Amino acid sequence: MVNRLADTLSPYLRAHADNPVDWFAWGPEAFAEARRRNVPMLISIGYSTCHWCHVMARESFSSPEIAGLINRDFVAVKVDREEHPDVDAAYMAAASAFTQNLGWPLTVFTTPQGRTFYAGTYWPPEARAQMPGFRDVLAAVHEAWMLRREQAIESADAVAEALAQAAVVTPSDLPSTVALAVAAEAIAAREDAMFGGFGGAPKFPVATTLGFLQRPLLRREAPDAAASAERSLAAMAASDLRDNLEGGFFRYATQRDWTVPHYERMLTDNAQLLDVAVRAGDDATARGVVAFLLDVLRRDGGAFGAAQDSESWIEGQRSEGGYYRAASREGLEPPAVDGKVITGWNGLAIAALARAGAALDERTWVDAAAAAASFVSSANRSPDGRLVRASLDGVASTAVATLADVGLFAEGLFALAVATGEVRWALAARELLDDVLDGGVDGDPVLAAQNVAAAPDQTDGDLPSGTAAVAGASLAAWRLGAGEKYRAAAEEQVRAQAASALQNPFAHGSLLGIAAALIEPPRQMVVVTEDRAGALAAASRRLDADVIAIVTPAQAGAFADAGFELFAGKDAAVELAYDCRAFVCRLPTADAGELLLER
């Protein structure tokens, strides 16, 4: 048996390299082998910090008996969902036709052409309670393929056709102020009045939704709903969902009262919750999250790993959460960090650290954001210079960057430009964004070659969708004065999903937040000074504004020369603050006492 996983980039795939299963990595070779043998494919999708992925690996994929069944009757493919999110999304959408209990590990059975005819998530090796055993599932799927193949193919074709129809969207008008307020109130109606947060168990941080509720428009038009975001953050920060020693938030709580967390800690959650904490004025929680990012997730070179595992070794045994429940962690080996540097996820961290560092005057945080940006800009590139999805130890993945990757990374670079006053970051961001707006991001080539439709990236779950990410980067570019075409681009992205977003606002927080920002005229503060520690700069840091740029005259001139009109004409004098509303500025002032805290 050939070991095809040992030299892959993914830590998740490497962890399965010694399984007795004859795994293929995601690629055309697996499809070719399935067609040659005329057998179904078993596509197993997970990620390295997933607890139940570990469990299924120990129980089933490490079993020579079960591996023998898989190798005899299937072509087996291992996929890291974090490296190949388009593949995960496509098969997750197909799996929804067979089960409502979606999650990871995702186990999908397809035709040799990659079309799904059965799917599920975790199965124990033997039947347990209401769950069939994995051995029985393998036998039943094999029997269906051998005896009822035409029905299986018809089922796969029907699923593919239904997904293609679901992908068709009809653009609508931009949401109105009233519609956005109603959406916020619908979200707030799900608030848990006793324990905070939204819904029951399991309970997630839903950072994308919290960000929507914090928009200035909603603070004014739906204040009670907007306040639920701060209540939710306060409840989470005081609960078991947050690790008080290292500061980071866990993935979710299995109980309504935020107890019994699922102990993996994700870069995506923590980067976005850092933004939420800064906007809420909860500096203590913000500082705790930053400590986790810098001390735990930061990798050599300055970028950030994807997540920290839920499991660790304690006294020779794998323990889920035991490291965090221990009375003392001294001498314990911490859970491993998945060191994959994912482009878009690092974009979220770069943006959050840049904004937090600027607001709290923590230059080391901004420096950390700049180091991450430099690393990703260099390492996460294909030989032809295009962004890729991820890298590991400085080696770039062959997986293409997604729309969300490029949009989130571009927005992170725009935030870094504002925090540092260095126009080079804004120029790099604009170049990436222009490439996207000109149609320069391709989907997964293996899915395309097999004619397996990628799932529409339409919802904001644990992070912004591709649509919302591009809209957010376009909004950031417009606010800096890059031109009206960027506002038009943001509006176009929002219109594409507005109708479905208003119908299900809880699943579209990022997109609706951008819709709210497009209604509210932006407040833009430009402080021209040679003294970043001076009174004028200090007074501006925590103002209620969408852009707070503290720049030297030379930096203001560089932005203006690069086509960012917000800075035009602001390089002639020092110690002046320009308070602008949608690019119309008040008379500049040198008096910090004249700066208005509120909008």
Side-chain angles (χ1 to χ4, degrees):
M1 187 176 74
V2 178
N3 187 335
R4 304 180 188 87
L5 304 186
D7 295 327
T8 58
L9 179 132
S10 165
Y12 175 63
L13 268 60
R14 292 181 183 181
H16 289 80
D18 294 329
N19 290 166
V21 177
D22 189 16
W23 292 114
F24 282 77
W26 177 255
E29 297 81 9
F31 290 92
E33 179 68 4
R35 288 193 295 269
R36 185 187 71 81
R37 292 176 54 195
N38 197 22
V39 297
M41 303 177 74
L42 186 164
I43 301 176
S44 176
I45 304 175
Y47 56 105
S48 69
T49 60
C50 163
H51 171 65
W52 287 104
C53 300
H54 296 324
V55 173
M56 194 166 181
R58 288 192 291 267
E59 292 178 340
S60 295
F61 298 138
S62 297
S63 163
E65 178 193 352
I66 292 178
L69 298 175
I70 294 172
N71 297 340
R72 185 191 69 190
D73 298 331
F74 304 91
V75 168
V77 183
K78 257 295 171 195
V79 179
D80 184 336
R81 68 172 292 257
E82 295 174 347
E83 187 179 9
H84 294 283
D86 286 351
V87 177
D88 175 57
Y91 286 114
M92 186 66 74
S96 67
F98 303 95
T99 179
Q100 294 182 338
N101 298 317
L102 297 172
W104 300 277
L106 180 63
T107 310
V108 184
F109 297 94
T110 80
T111 68
Q113 291 71 38
R115 292 196 166 192
T116 304
F117 64 89
Y118 190 61
T121 52
Y122 162 80
W123 281 301
E126 307 290 349
R128 183 187 305 161
Q130 302 300 312
M131 301 176 69
F134 191 42
R135 290 181 178 86
D136 300 328
V137 172
L138 293 171
V141 172
H142 173 63
E143 178 182 300
W145 183 254
M146 298 302 294
L147 303 180
R148 297 180 297 279
R149 186 172 305 182
E150 289 186 4
Q151 291 174 261
I153 293 174
E154 288 176 2
S155 174
D157 290 344
V159 170
E161 178 61 26
L163 292 175
Q165 293 178 0
V168 177
V169 297
T170 302
S172 60
D173 293 335
L174 287 175
S176 66
T177 298
V178 171
L180 291 169
V182 169
E185 288 161 357
I187 291 170
R190 300 175 58 176
E191 184 180 11
D192 184 336
M194 181 173 292
F195 297 111
F198 302 93
K203 188 174 283 186
F204 288 80
V206 291
T208 53
T209 300
L210 299 182
F212 166 54
L213 295 172
Q214 289 182 311
R215 291 287 181 173
L217 180 75
L218 296 175
R219 294 204 306 264
R220 186 180 71 244
E221 301 294 334
D224 291 340
S228 65
E230 275 68 32
R231 290 194 293 269
S232 179
L233 177 68
M236 290 188 294
S239 77
D240 292 348
L241 191 72
R242 180 171 179 260
D243 176 23
N244 288 325
L245 292 183
E246 294 177 343
F249 285 90
F250 299 113
R251 182 71 188 94
Y252 64 88
T254 63
Q255 305 300 310
R256 177 189 163 198
D257 63 356
W258 298 110
T259 57
V260 195
H262 186 58
Y263 285 97
E264 61 184 314
R265 294 192 285 183
M266 311 295 292
L267 176 60
T268 49
D269 294 328
N270 283 280
Q272 293 176 97
L273 289 171
L274 173 56
D275 264 336
V276 171
V278 171
R279 285 192 294 264
D282 186 348
D283 294 357
T285 296
R287 291 182 183 279
V289 172
V290 171
F292 167 67
L293 295 178
L294 300 187
D295 298 340
V296 177
L297 289 189
R298 185 162 52 172
R299 305 289 88 193
D300 290 344
F304 299 93
Q308 187 177 32
D309 208 332
S310 60
E311 295 187 359
S312 62
W313 289 99
I314 296 182
E315 297 181 353
Q317 300 291 323
R318 293 290 286 175
S319 171
E320 205 263 337
Y323 175 79
Y324 302 103
R325 293 191 301 267
S328 171
R329 294 181 196 174
E330 185 175 351
L332 292 180
E333 180 182 348
V337 171
D338 183 331
K340 285 196 313 298
V341 173
I342 297 175
T343 298
W345 298 13
N346 271 261
L348 285 171
I350 291 163
L353 283 167
R355 288 190 283 254
L360 276 64
D361 196 19
E362 292 284 356
R363 298 306 301 173
T364 58
W365 301 359
V366 179
D367 292 342
S374 295
F375 185 93
V376 173
S377 296
S378 174
N380 289 28
R381 296 280 183 181
S382 64
D384 64 359
R386 296 176 68 84
L387 278 180
V388 298
R389 168 67 175 172
S391 65
L392 181 69
D393 299 329
V395 179
S397 169
T398 58
V400 297
T402 66
L403 195 63
D405 282 322
V406 182
L408 293 174
F409 188 53
E411 185 172 359
L413 295 181
F414 279 128
L416 184 58
V418 172
T420 60
E422 296 180 21
V423 72
R424 63 188 177 102
W425 300 118
L427 291 172
R430 189 172 62 187
E431 181 179 354
L432 291 172
L433 182 56
D434 285 345
D435 190 38
V436 167
L437 298 179
D438 292 339
V441 174
D442 299 320
D444 183 88
V446 179
L447 287 177
Q450 298 304 132
N451 199 27
V452 176
D457 185 13
Q458 296 177 348
T459 60
D460 309 317
D462 54 354
L463 76 167
S465 67
T467 299
V470 172
S474 300
L475 176 67
W478 173 69
R479 283 174 167 174
L480 293 178
E484 287 300 312
K485 80 169 188 176
Y486 296 100
R487 179 185 173 92
E491 291 181 352
E492 180 182 2
Q493 299 293 319
V494 171
R495 286 194 183 97
Q497 303 297 336
S500 57
L502 291 174
Q503 290 174 359
N504 186 11
F506 200 78
H508 293 83
S510 296
L511 190 88
L512 291 175
I514 295 159
L518 288 168
I519 291 175
E520 186 87 348
R523 184 186 185 189
Q524 302 139 307
M525 290 292 307
V526 179
V527 178
V528 182
T529 179
E530 295 284 1
D531 183 8
R532 298 187 68 92
L536 201 60
S540 70
R541 294 189 192 283
R542 297 300 288 264
L543 298 179
D544 185 8
D546 302 295
V547 175
I548 302 174
I550 302 171
V551 293
T552 66
Q555 289 173 331
F559 272 97
D561 291 344
F564 295 96
E565 292 298 321
L566 175 62
F567 299 87
K570 297 181 175 65
D571 59 344
V574 294
E575 293 307 314
L576 285 177
Y578 299 81
D579 189 352
C580 312
R581 305 296 193 282
F583 304 99
V584 178
C585 303
R586 301 169 184 264
L587 289 174
T589 181
D591 185 353
E594 293 184 1
L595 298 181
L596 301 176
L597 181 63
E598 304 297 331
R599 290 172 182 259

